[in-house]
């Protein structure tokens, strides 16, 4: 949700791009309004502000822990156990990046806070995993002879449960409050059946200090609906407890975790080709097979958590444990996830714990009635409000907030079988300034200062520890634009624990190039640097465009490249115009070089794989509540005489290339040439050699490219192949033999620092991938083929072997024209 360019000062050591920290443009911290902090800083002789453990005074807050009273410390004046003190000296992240040493005190403080919080949870709740089962204590839960309902609402003076079951009259259903602000009531069964019927509406009614009664949706509600016939009607909580015969039973196990995620980012509601909201079951039956066919291994679902405002794209969550009712029921979502697992797809959920909807009628914000922060889910005053998002900000130091959010993660993992999460808005969580008016330059002072929100950092460490503990094969991704060092390192190293971060600077650079630069102004060095500018040992998910680049006010890359000609010139029945030819060629190149050079994972937003035109605009008052731009026109890719099929086919092929060669999971990434005059970038990923020619006109014959291993190379993938809308200028049956370059073991005598080279044909605006032939396997195949031919000749049998069949690596593939 935040988009800005961030530079990371620690580049992978395998790159031949020279970058020094001292050469960076450094920027002083933006002065922010003072905020309350529970940590202290002192200035060291070098001028850096570092954490100090010598603050005077202590602050203790009394919180509830499973209805036990505990004192939670929120400053550094604490008596820690000797084991915690010993652990605080073990800062593994400093071994990976010695330039973090000046901030060792920060990491020690972070670790102390994390270990102390985790220790308190273990002492008073049994374990972190048990603590995250809050949904078994709060909300509605069945007991042997009744239904127990609990709600944390310390500010309430009186409370009732109301709903269809009691005619919305709570006079006979008053709740009791304990000393920790938890209200509870047990509603006995009636005639052997639950007093609250399944799928009936319920609300929590309470009176606050000024004597006013308000009705709110229970915070832990599992389902919420709205009357579609009433405009702007409020949502109702729904008691969801279907009989066993109506519960969806999962049939398929989770598939193995992929070596590298190839993620298809999808929004269920807007996935229909018709101007309407799509359902979970329709998505499962119609869209998931498309995703699998294009060789993605992961689907990331947006807007799953209930949000009353559809146009928020799911980011203004109102009900955190409830599925979005626009697309169906909880059982329907389970069907979708089970179907995905049956297709071998991992399913990630776009989780929003960075903020909550400001909606008081339908959302969690309705529980805030002016009480102090310790009795609320949110901070009070400016600290509790995000002025750009118009939303509320969580108080991550609060015990019950931790229970709520950690339980929320476990709920989605266990109840719905999600395989991990993409955490939204992590930058906003990490800093008190939330990234607002902050241009991150890579200066470490920007990450470790009084602006760092250590409460949020500790929560994220606990969250990652929990998720990976429950599901070791989970994938957890952070949406962070700042480049916070250690975000993608394990909690055991005092990192924050994410598996991947989104490489958010990449799409911004592509939009800048496509919008503002002529083809001859494209810098190969800048493109390469932007794609490789990531922290060594911290994995990234790269993407050329996501939903952010397609929302109203902007356009997809395809539409930026081809604009209005997409309406009239995409037919294969006529020759492609220069605009269309350029647009399709660059669309393939931009997405492919982003995938191959930009990270250890790849993400594509629904529809962009085939160059979906125009933009996304959710129904709203400004567009007459139209769904016309809030859908996906799948027919464009399916129509055989339209050129959209070429971009779709190439997307399928580039995913298949990783499926076969696993280059995304390879740690070997070497950029050997960024020739700005030729407009050519050459690099190796794994044992593949990639050649990108961005020149609009020049074809290079006998173009020398460097490589690591000697031998024979062949074409593995060619964007200029005819099945991808190209001209078929590169011969796929040619063998490219290497020549040694310079003195072995002396890189400076080699060609572009590579010990071997081979020569190729490189047409303009094309990308071609070469793989090294395993000649020992080829000899075996030749022998086998000879035996087959002898058998065929002896039997005088007519065997039809397709001419286009071709060996790719160690596999024989049909449709081999492009391999």
């Amino acid at each position: 949700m935040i988009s800005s360019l961030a530079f990371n000062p620690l580049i992978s050591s395998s790159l031949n791009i020279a970058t020094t920290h001292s050469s960076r443009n450094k920027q002083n911290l933006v002065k922010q309004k003072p905020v309350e902090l529970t940590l202290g800083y002192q200035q060291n002789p070098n001028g850096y502000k570092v954490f100090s453990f010598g603050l005077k005074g202590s602050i203790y807050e009394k919180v509830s822990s499973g209805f036990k009273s505990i004192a939670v410390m929120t400053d550094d004046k604490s008596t820690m156990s000797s084991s915690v003190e010993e652990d605080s000296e073990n800062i593994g992240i400093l071994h990976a990046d010695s330039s973090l040493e000046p901030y060792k005190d920060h990491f020690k403080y972070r670790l102390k806070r994390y270990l102390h919080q985790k220790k308190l949870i273990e002492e008073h709740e049994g374990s972190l995993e048990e603590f995250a089962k809050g949904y078994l204590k709060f909300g509605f839960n069945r007991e042997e002879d009744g239904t127990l309902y609990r709600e944390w609402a310390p500010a309430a003076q009186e409370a009732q449960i109301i709903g269809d079951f009691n005619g919305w009259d709570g006079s006979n259903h008053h709740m009791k409050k304990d000393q920790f602000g938890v209200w509870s009531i047990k509603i006995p069964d009636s005639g052997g059946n639950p007093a609250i019927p399944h799928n009936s509406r319920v609300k929590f009614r309470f009176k606050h200090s000024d004597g006013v009664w308000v009705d709110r949706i229970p915070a832990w509600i599992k389902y919420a609906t709205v009357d579609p016939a009433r405009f702007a009607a409020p949502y109702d909580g729904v008691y969801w407890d279907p009989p066993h015969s109506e519960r969806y039973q999962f049939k398929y196990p989770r598939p193995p975790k992929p070596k590298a995620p190839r993620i298809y980012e999808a929004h269920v509601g807007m996935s229909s080709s018709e101007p309407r909201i799509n359902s979970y079951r329709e998505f499962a039956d119609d869209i998931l097979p498309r995703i699998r066919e294009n060789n993605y291994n992961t689907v990331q679902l947006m807007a799953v958590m209930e949000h009353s405002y559809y146009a928020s794209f799911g980011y203004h969550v109102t009900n955190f444990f409830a599925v979005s009712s626009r697309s169906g029921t909880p059982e329907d979502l389970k069907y979708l996830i089970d179907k995905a697992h049956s297709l071998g797809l991992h399913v990630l959920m776009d989780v929003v714990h960075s903020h909550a909807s400001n909606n008081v009628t339908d959302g969690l914000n309705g529980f805030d009635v002016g009480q102090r922060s310790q009795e609320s889910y949110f901070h009070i005053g400016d600290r509790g409000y995000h002025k750009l998002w118009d939303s509320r900000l969580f108080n991550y130091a609060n015990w019950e907030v931790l229970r709520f959010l950690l339980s929320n993660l476990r709920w989605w993992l266990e109840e719905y079988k999600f395989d991990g999460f993409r955490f939204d808005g992590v930058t906003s969580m990490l800093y008190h300034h939330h990234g607002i008016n902050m241009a991150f330059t890579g200066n470490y002072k920007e990450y470790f200062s009084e602006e760092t929100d250590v409460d949020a950092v500790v929560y994220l460490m606990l969250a990652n520890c929990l998720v990976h503990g429950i599901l070791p094969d989970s994938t957890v991704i952070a949406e962070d634009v700042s480049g916070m060092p250690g975000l993608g390192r394990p909690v055991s190293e005092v990192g924050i624990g994410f598996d991947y971060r989104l490489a958010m600077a990449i799409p911004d650079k592509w939009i800048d190039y496509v919008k503002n630069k002529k083809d001859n102004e494209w810098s190969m060095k800048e493109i390469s640097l932007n794609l490789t500018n990531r922290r060594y040992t911290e994995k990234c998910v790269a993407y050329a465009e996501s939903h952010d680049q397609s929302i109203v006010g902007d356009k997809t890359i395809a539409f930026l490249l081809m604009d209005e000609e997409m309406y009239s010139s995409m037919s294969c029945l006529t020759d492609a115009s220069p605009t269309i030819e350029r647009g399709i060629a660059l669309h393939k190149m931009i997405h492919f070089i982003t995938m191959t050079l930009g990270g250890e994972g790849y993400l594509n937003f629904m529809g962009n794989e085939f160059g979906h035109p125009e933009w996304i605009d959710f129904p709203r008052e400004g567009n007459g509540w139209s769904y016309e731009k809030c859908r996906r026109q799948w027919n464009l890719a399916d129509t055989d005489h339209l050129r959209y099929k070429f971009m779709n086919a190439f997307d399928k092929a580039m995913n298949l290339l990783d499926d076969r060669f696993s280059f995304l999971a390879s740690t070997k990434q070497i950029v050997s040439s960024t020739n700005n005059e030729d407009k050519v970038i050459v690099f190796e990923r794994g044992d593949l050699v990639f050649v990108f020619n961005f020149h609009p006109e020049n074809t290079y014959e006998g173009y020398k490219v460097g490589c690591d291993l000697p031998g024979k190379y062949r074409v593995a993938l060619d964007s200029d192949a005819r099945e991808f809308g190209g001209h078929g200028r590169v011969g796929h049956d040619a063998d490219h033999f290497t020549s040694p370059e310079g003195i072995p073991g002396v890189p400076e005598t080699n060609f572009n620092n590579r010990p071997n080279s081979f020569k190729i044909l490189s047409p303009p605006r094309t990308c071609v991938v070469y793989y090294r032939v395993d000649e020992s396997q080829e000899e075996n195949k030749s022998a086998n083929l000879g035996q087959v031919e002898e058998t065929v000749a002896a039997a005088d049998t007519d065997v039809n072997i397709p001419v286009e069949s071709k060996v790719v690596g160690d596999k024989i593939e049909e449709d081999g024209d492009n391999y």
Side-chain angles (χ1 to χ4, degrees):
M1 294 181 66
I2 303 173
S3 186
S4 176
L5 179 64
F7 288 101
N8 290 316
L10 194 58
I11 307 293
S12 171
S13 61
S14 64
L15 306 177
N16 71 328
I17 300 171
T19 306
T20 59
H21 182 68
S22 61
S23 66
R24 294 282 166 76
N25 176 30
K26 297 186 178 180
Q27 176 177 319
N28 291 328
L29 288 171
V30 176
K31 297 297 183 183
Q32 300 289 328
K33 184 176 178 180
V35 294
E36 279 190 335
L37 295 173
T38 58
L39 49 146
Y41 287 82
Q42 289 183 348
Q43 191 133 329
N44 71 7
N46 296 323
Y48 292 104
K49 286 187 175 180
V50 297
F51 278 87
S52 166
F53 299 113
L55 280 179
K56 294 182 178 180
S58 301
I59 303 172
Y60 292 86
E61 297 176 3
K62 189 169 271 192
V63 299
S64 61
S65 166
F67 322 119
K68 299 176 184 177
S69 175
I70 60 172
V72 176
M73 193 159 22
T74 60
D75 75 344
D76 61 312
K77 186 82 170 177
S78 60
T79 303
M80 306 293 289
S81 68
S82 59
S83 62
V84 170
E85 291 288 0
E86 291 171 4
D87 286 338
S88 69
E89 295 299 323
N90 184 22
I91 312 294
I93 194 173
L94 300 182
H95 302 310
D97 182 3
S98 60
S99 57
L100 290 171
E101 191 67 33
Y103 306 95
K104 183 176 181 179
D105 284 344
H106 168 92
F107 289 104
K108 289 174 65 176
Y109 182 81
R110 173 197 290 185
L111 179 59
K112 277 193 172 186
R113 288 283 307 277
Y114 164 74
L115 290 174
H116 187 52
Q117 185 69 70
K118 190 166 182 287
K119 183 170 180 284
L120 284 173
I121 289 171
E122 291 167 349
E123 286 180 354
H124 297 277
E125 301 282 349
S127 68
L128 182 63
E129 290 74 15
E130 285 298 313
F131 184 52
K133 291 181 180 178
Y135 48 83
L136 299 180
K137 295 181 179 179
F138 289 85
F140 294 93
N141 285 285
R142 287 288 299 154
E143 294 192 345
E144 185 175 351
D145 55 351
T147 302
L148 183 62
Y149 171 57
R150 287 195 184 104
E151 196 75 69
W152 181 65
Q157 304 300 307
E158 297 182 48
Q160 305 170 351
I161 179 67
I162 59 173
D164 291 328
F165 77 100
N166 61 9
W168 300 93
D169 180 1
S171 58
N172 293 324
H173 293 93
H174 286 279
M175 301 177 69
K176 294 182 179 179
K177 182 181 182 181
D178 68 14
Q179 59 181 318
F180 309 115
V182 177
W183 295 87
S184 62
I185 183 173
K186 184 173 181 179
I187 306 169
D189 290 345
S190 176
N193 296 313
I196 305 178
H198 161 63
N199 206 18
S200 64
R201 297 175 298 167
V202 290
K203 281 195 173 181
F204 175 63
R205 174 173 289 173
F206 69 92
K207 182 174 72 173
H208 50 80
S209 57
D210 60 5
V212 176
W213 285 85
V214 293
D215 297 347
R216 298 291 183 253
I217 295 177
W220 298 72
I221 201 70
K222 308 304 189 301
Y223 194 46
T225 61
V226 65
D227 183 353
R230 293 173 55 199
F231 181 76
Y235 274 66
D236 290 305
V238 174
Y239 176 66
W240 192 261
D241 185 26
H244 184 78
S245 61
E246 297 179 17
R247 294 178 186 269
Y248 184 82
Q249 303 298 322
F250 286 93
K251 303 176 181 65
Y252 301 96
R254 288 185 167 101
K257 183 177 181 178
K259 294 180 181 178
R262 301 188 300 272
I263 303 170
Y264 195 87
E265 184 185 41
H267 187 287
V268 172
M270 60 169 287
S271 64
S272 173
S273 60
E274 302 170 6
R276 62 174 176 84
I277 297 175
N278 213 15
S279 72
Y280 296 123
R281 288 183 177 267
E282 289 172 311
F283 182 92
D285 294 339
D286 301 334
I287 310 304
L288 284 178
R290 288 180 175 272
I291 298 171
R292 180 66 270 180
E293 185 179 358
N294 270 45
N295 297 311
Y296 289 90
N297 57 30
T298 305
V299 58
Q300 177 183 303
L301 296 181
M302 304 173 61
V304 172
M305 305 161 88
E306 187 59 87
H307 49 290
S308 61
Y309 184 45
Y310 189 44
S312 74
F313 231 135
Y315 291 117
H316 279 218
V317 175
T318 44
N319 312 110
F320 284 76
F321 288 82
V323 307
S324 177
S325 58
R326 292 180 182 86
S327 294
T329 69
E331 312 313 306
D332 295 334
L333 178 60
K334 292 174 185 177
Y335 172 82
L336 184 163
I337 295 170
D338 202 27
K339 181 69 174 286
H341 287 165
S342 75
L343 296 172
L345 292 167
H346 268 234
V347 187
L348 306 183
M349 176 178 160
D350 208 346
V351 70
V352 186
H353 283 182
S354 51
H355 64 133
S357 171
N358 203 25
N359 184 329
V360 297
T361 303
D362 303 323
L364 202 60
N365 193 32
F367 286 81
D368 189 338
V369 289
Q371 68 268 38
R372 59 189 185 135
S373 183
Q374 293 91 332
E375 297 179 343
S376 173
Y377 287 98
F378 310 107
H379 287 293
I380 60 173
D382 290 344
R383 192 178 178 188
Y385 178 74
H386 198 295
K387 62 183 180 182
L388 294 186
W389 296 346
D390 186 29
S391 56
R392 297 304 309 274
L393 299 174
F394 287 106
N395 177 3
Y396 300 105
N398 190 302
W399 189 271
E400 291 304 330
V401 172
L402 288 177
R403 187 201 305 274
F404 183 84
L405 295 177
L406 292 170
S407 298
N408 191 235
L409 297 174
R410 181 160 196 165
W411 169 255
W412 293 110
L413 287 176
E414 300 207 332
E415 182 70 14
Y416 291 94
K417 308 300 182 187
F418 278 98
D419 301 297
F421 301 99
R422 177 262 200 192
F423 273 71
D424 176 72
V426 169
T427 307
S428 176
M429 301 173 70
L430 294 175
Y431 310 100
H432 293 295
H433 54 62
H434 310 299
I436 299 173
N437 298 324
M438 189 68 189
F440 291 94
T441 66
N443 188 320
Y444 279 6
K445 289 190 291 185
E446 296 167 353
Y447 307 116
F448 311 114
S449 73
E450 63 268 30
E451 291 295 349
T452 307
D453 190 337
V454 179
D455 293 339
V457 170
V458 168
Y459 163 66
L460 290 172
M461 293 171 72
L462 290 168
N464 279 301
C465 178
L466 173 74
V467 172
H468 290 107
I470 294 173
L471 186 62
D473 279 348
S474 61
T475 299
V476 191
I477 303 170
E479 187 212 33
D480 169 46
V481 72
S482 74
M484 162 74 82
L487 187 73
R489 295 305 301 164
V491 172
S492 60
E493 296 180 6
V494 201
I496 297 179
F498 287 97
D499 298 303
Y500 299 86
R501 76 169 86 228
L502 288 179
M504 299 183 68
I506 293 175
D508 290 348
K509 181 60 68 176
W510 285 127
I511 295 298
D512 176 49
Y513 266 50
V514 173
K515 278 185 174 181
N516 305 318
K517 293 183 184 293
K518 297 177 182 178
D519 290 3
N520 62 1
E521 296 175 337
W522 287 31
S523 167
M524 301 300 100
K525 292 186 185 299
E526 188 175 50
I527 289 173
S528 177
L529 176 61
N530 182 253
L531 291 170
T532 57
N533 180 32
R534 57 187 184 273
R535 293 183 58 78
Y536 182 57
T537 75
E538 296 193 38
K539 296 179 181 179
C540 287
V541 172
Y543 61 104
E545 52 184 336
S546 68
H547 66 277
D548 282 330
Q549 284 69 46
S550 304
I551 58 177
V552 64
D554 215 328
K555 303 174 182 178
T556 63
I557 286 179
F559 206 54
L560 286 170
L561 289 168
M562 296 175 275
D563 213 339
E564 60 186 14
E565 289 202 29
M566 296 191 80
Y567 295 120
S568 59
S569 304
M570 292 296 282
S571 173
C572 299
L573 304 179
T574 60
D575 291 338
S577 69
T579 297
I580 294 299
E581 187 149 319
R582 171 184 180 269
I584 291 178
L586 287 179
H587 186 275
K588 291 181 290 185
M589 295 181 73
I590 287 171
H591 286 81
F592 192 40
I593 196 170
T594 298
M595 177 193 200
T596 55
L597 198 55
E600 292 71 33
Y602 177 68
L603 178 144
N604 169 73
F605 177 66
M606 180 174 66
N608 290 342
E609 69 275 13
F610 63 84
H612 201 288
E614 301 179 322
W615 55 89
I616 299 168
D617 191 6
F618 280 81
R620 55 189 174 85
E621 187 176 4
N623 66 12
W625 303 103
S626 171
Y627 287 84
E628 182 60 31
K629 296 291 191 294
C630 193
R631 61 190 181 108
R632 296 287 87 177
Q633 300 181 56
W634 304 109
N635 59 297
L636 298 176
D638 296 341
T639 303
D640 193 56
H641 68 267
L642 294 180
R643 289 189 166 88
Y644 295 95
K645 69 178 183 180
F646 297 135
M647 291 177 279
N648 190 64
F650 188 73
D651 179 80
K652 179 179 179 180
M654 66 190 214
N655 282 322
L656 184 60
L657 186 74
D658 181 60
D659 220 18
R660 291 171 176 169
F661 292 98
S662 300
F663 59 84
L664 278 174
S666 174
T667 57
K668 178 183 177 183
Q669 177 174 299
I670 301 169
V671 177
S672 61
S673 178
T674 53
N675 192 314
N676 207 49
E677 182 177 350
D678 295 344
K679 298 296 182 199
V680 173
I681 299 174
V682 181
F683 61 91
E684 295 160 66
R685 190 76 188 268
D687 291 329
L688 296 176
V689 179
F690 298 79
V691 183
F692 284 78
N693 181 357
F694 281 94
H695 202 287
E697 299 173 352
N698 288 0
T699 294
Y700 303 110
E701 295 187 37
Y703 197 81
K704 185 190 284 190
V705 298
C707 65
D708 182 15
L709 301 175
K712 180 170 64 177
Y713 286 77
R714 289 179 182 161
V715 172
L717 180 60
D718 170 18
S719 70
D720 194 47
R722 294 189 184 279
E723 56 263 49
F724 305 139
H727 298 283
R729 291 164 287 190
V730 176
H732 295 174
D733 55 354
D735 291 331
H736 304 269
F737 293 92
T738 61
S739 299
E741 294 287 346
I743 303 171
V746 186
E748 59 268 23
T749 68
N750 299 158
F751 175 73
N752 290 336
N753 291 324
R754 308 311 293 141
N756 294 283
S757 70
F758 59 92
K759 293 181 179 181
I760 63 165
L761 172 70
S762 181
R765 292 196 184 115
T766 63
C767 46
V768 183
V769 187
Y770 298 88
Y771 73 97
R772 181 174 173 269
V773 177
D774 187 333
E775 298 200 56
S776 63
Q777 291 190 13
E778 255 210 346
E779 290 174 1
N780 292 334
K781 286 176 181 175
S782 296
N784 293 336
L785 184 58
Q787 292 175 2
V788 170
E789 288 174 344
E790 290 176 6
T791 303
V792 169
D796 193 24
T797 304
D798 181 18
V799 178
N800 182 20
I801 301 178
V803 175
E804 68 271 22
S805 292
K806 185 166 182 62
V807 176
V808 183
D810 59 352
K811 299 178 175 64
I812 297 178
E813 297 297 330
E814 294 184 3
D815 302 326
D817 188 22
N818 53 310
Y819 292 105

